[in-house]
């Protein structure tokens, strides 16, 4: 269950990563997030992730700071401390990373290549899926032909 790999999560959810450049305005980033119904976008520069911009960044660094989202650049308000995962990391590995580093969005890197992004919601959904599957298997075992 918690030994499920990040690559399995990406296979189910898809590997599409919504992104903006660091020179995008906050309003442009928010529009991308709204268009795709996601809570964050990865900030990519030169093909490499340099930050993440999330709903929390909008609230704390833009709204609460009274910045104009049409004038403020993402690079000035994004979260720059990225913590990454690898495709072979387990759900437990990523849950630990998110808890210890207090992050909700983790880029998945294979070497220098971005292969996806997982959020705390993706990890929760995968854990629930695994629990349901385990319940089905145990129910099948209990009521199945295995007992004599």
């Amino acid at each position: 269950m918690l030994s499920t790999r990040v690559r399995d999560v990406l296979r189910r959810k898809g590997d599409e990563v919504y992104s903006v450049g660091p020179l995008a305005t906050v309003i442009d980033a928010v529009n991308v997030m709204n268009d795709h119904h996601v809570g964050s976008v990865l900030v990519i520069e030169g093909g490499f992730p340099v930050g993440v911009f999330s709903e929390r960044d909008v609230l704390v660094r833009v709204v609460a700071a009274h910045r104009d989202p049409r004038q403020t650049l993402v690079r000035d308000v994004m979260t720059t401390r990225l913590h990454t995962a690898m495709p072979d990391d387990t759900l437990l590995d990523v849950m630990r990373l998110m808890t210890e580093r207090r992050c909700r969005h983790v880029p998945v890197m294979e070497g220098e290549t971005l292969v996806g992004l997982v959020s705390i919601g993706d990890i929760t959904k995968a854990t629930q899926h695994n629990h349901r599957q385990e319940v089905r298997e145990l129910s099948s075992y209990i009521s199945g032909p295995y007992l004599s």
Side-chain angles (χ1 to χ4, degrees):
M1 171 182 61
L2 293 177
S3 61
T4 298
R5 305 285 173 187
V6 170
R7 75 174 63 258
D8 300 321
V9 174
L10 291 177
R11 193 175 301 121
R12 276 196 291 272
K13 102 170 223 182
D15 59 0
E16 187 158 13
V17 176
Y18 301 108
S19 64
V20 297
L23 298 178
T25 63
V26 167
I27 200 71
D28 291 334
V30 167
N31 286 334
V32 170
M33 291 163 44
N34 287 338
D35 289 347
H36 297 287
H37 308 285
V38 295
S40 70
V41 288
L42 206 53
V43 183
I44 306 282
E45 186 171 38
F48 196 76
V50 294
V52 65
F53 183 71
S54 69
E55 295 163 325
R56 182 169 285 163
D57 294 320
V58 173
L59 291 174
V60 174
R61 297 180 179 152
V62 180
V63 174
H66 305 288
R67 292 178 180 230
D68 181 351
R70 294 171 306 228
Q71 301 295 322
T72 304
L73 299 180
V74 169
R75 74 175 178 199
D76 297 329
V77 290
M78 68 184 182
T79 299
T80 57
R81 292 185 58 196
L82 288 181
H83 303 285
T84 62
M86 296 178 289
D88 285 328
D89 287 346
T90 65
L91 290 183
L92 185 59
D93 294 332
V94 177
M95 288 167 68
R96 237 185 236 127
L97 173 71
M98 288 177 166
T99 302
E100 290 172 2
R101 302 295 183 189
R102 297 181 47 95
C103 60
R104 302 167 70 85
H105 304 90
V106 176
V108 182
M109 304 293 292
E110 197 156 35
E112 296 292 312
T113 304
L114 175 68
V115 295
L117 179 78
V118 291
S119 69
I120 195 164
D122 299 325
I123 300 303
T124 300
K125 188 178 205 178
T127 302
Q128 289 174 338
H129 172 80
N130 290 345
H131 284 307
R132 283 191 298 275
Q133 185 174 344
E134 187 175 358
V135 166
R136 280 192 300 272
E137 290 170 4
L138 289 171
S139 295
S140 175
Y141 175 76
I142 289 169
S143 62
Y146 306 107
L147 299 176
S148 51

